[in-house]
Amino acid sequence: MHGNTPIGIFDSGYGGLTVFRSIAALLPEYDYIYLGDNARAPYGNRSFETVHQYTLECVEWLFSQGCPLVILACNTASAKALRTIQQKDLPRLAPDNRVLGVIRPTAEKIGNYTQSKSIGVLGTKGTVTSGSYDIEIHHFFPDVRVNQLACPMWVPLIENGESNTAGADYFVQKNLNELLAIAPDIDTILLACTHYPLLMSSIQKFLPGNIQVIPQGPIVADSLHDYLLRHPEMRERISVGGTRHFFTTDDTTDFDNHASAFFGSDVRSEQVKL
Ligand code: DGL
């Protein structure tokens, strides 16, 4: 049996584990449940309606496991489903529970990294076309230029265990060249997809040394830490046994084989049917 009232962490697949890794390192005392909807990943090219429906089903399952707080550790779900869940679904389903995303906490910080006031934002097609990063970053940093590019091949390559191959290098180089062609003045690239840190070595191979690459995990972990300090009523509802439980909607052997590369240590998952 898992902890009574853990923090729930959700992603369409493996990517959220890169965020969970940073959260668990910063806040090890809490109980956690991770849910990857691998059976229906990737979400990146799906419609608003579909991403909302899938994400809501996962959030409801995490609530049914006792989670008072759920983190959507997925930019696509944060861009396409979070607002509807917060405004329409939560008041009806569980008004005292909370669901937080990864876009706002990242947008709040990313402008602090750039000197040239021009950043690249790489994400899925869903995240980029939603315009969420453009809107949120300009809210906090009106003078920073936001240059977005969708990298639709990256998540399928990563989900299929092809991160360290010539095929991955080809698509990474192609997309980075496209980004640099539209925005030669960037000094910072935000990895606005929780899968992308798995391509970090390939990304760094094809970038000039003056461009820094920022993954979201540490930023989101810091932001959750702040949130829990500001919300003692939520902090007190989360159980503190230090447990981590992993669930996937697809095959557990596949999940366990891939997940450790994202999470940084061995993972043993259970299957859930939604
Ligand atoms: N990891 C998800 C994100 O951060 C995307 C994966 C997907 O396309 O399902 O956007």
Side-chain angles (χ1 to χ4, degrees):
M1 189 58 201
H2 47 73
N4 292 334
T5 53
I7 296 176
I9 301 185
F10 161 75
D11 181 50
S12 60
Y14 300 108
L17 291 165
T18 64
V19 173
F20 183 14
R21 179 180 185 163
S22 297
I23 291 176
L26 188 66
L27 303 166
E29 66 274 29
Y30 296 113
D31 291 316
Y32 295 94
I33 294 186
Y34 183 88
L35 174 60
D37 191 9
N38 299 77
R40 302 186 290 195
Y43 283 11
N45 289 335
R46 296 190 190 276
S47 69
F48 268 89
E49 292 71 24
T50 304
V51 173
H52 170 247
Q53 185 201 321
Y54 288 177
T55 306
L56 182 60
E57 285 170 15
C58 292
V59 167
E60 286 193 74
W61 183 81
L62 287 164
F63 285 169
S64 78
Q65 301 302 297
C67 301
L69 175 65
V70 170
I71 313 293
L72 303 185
C74 173
N75 290 271
T76 311
S78 300
K80 291 186 152 187
L82 179 63
R83 184 181 296 253
T84 313
I85 288 176
Q86 286 175 332
Q87 294 180 352
K88 294 220 173 93
D89 302 314
L90 259 190
R92 168 175 67 80
L93 289 171
D96 294 333
N97 287 359
R98 290 290 171 268
V99 179
L100 305 175
V102 290
I103 295 181
R104 178 163 275 246
T106 307
E108 255 174 42
K109 296 281 156 59
I110 194 66
N112 296 327
Y113 290 85
T114 175
Q115 303 289 318
S116 69
K117 303 280 178 218
S118 181
I119 64 169
V121 174
L122 301 177
T124 65
K125 182 170 156 241
T127 300
V128 166
T129 55
S130 76
S132 302
Y133 272 102
D134 212 27
I135 296 163
E136 294 285 349
I137 294 173
H138 283 134
H139 180 74
F140 296 104
F141 302 98
D143 57 339
V144 167
R145 266 192 312 286
V146 177
N147 308 279
Q148 299 192 86
L149 186 78
C151 306
M153 289 304 292
W154 291 18
V155 170
L157 283 163
I158 296 164
E159 284 278 319
N160 288 291
E162 298 286 328
S163 308
N164 296 308
T165 62
D169 279 355
Y170 172 83
F171 284 105
V172 166
Q173 187 176 25
K174 177 174 183 283
N175 289 136
L176 291 177
N177 285 346
E178 284 163 13
L179 178 66
L180 291 171
I182 56 168
D185 58 342
I186 56 172
D187 63 356
T188 304
I189 290 181
L190 169 65
L191 301 184
C193 171
T194 55
H195 280 68
Y196 292 177
L198 267 280
L199 292 173
M200 189 62 105
S201 61
S202 179
I203 293 168
Q204 272 162 343
K205 226 187 303 185
F206 299 113
L207 277 183
N210 65 318
I211 300 183
Q212 57 186 334
V213 183
I214 310 293
Q216 288 177 293
I219 297 177
V220 173
D222 277 349
S223 159
L224 177 60
H225 180 234
D226 274 8
Y227 175 86
L228 293 173
L229 286 178
R230 285 183 286 108
H231 293 274
E233 76 293 350
M234 176 55 77
R235 196 175 65 232
E236 281 152 20
R237 289 173 64 194
I238 301 165
S239 50
V240 285
T243 62
R244 287 104 179 78
H245 287 90
F246 299 87
F247 292 85
T248 174
T249 54
D250 208 345
D251 185 73
T252 53
T253 309
D254 269 4
F255 188 87
D256 298 352
N257 286 342
H258 283 96
S260 57
F262 291 80
F263 192 60
S265 54
D266 278 354
V267 166
R268 287 280 161 274
S269 63
E270 295 168 55
Q271 194 179 48
V272 58
K273 292 266 178 243
L274 295 176

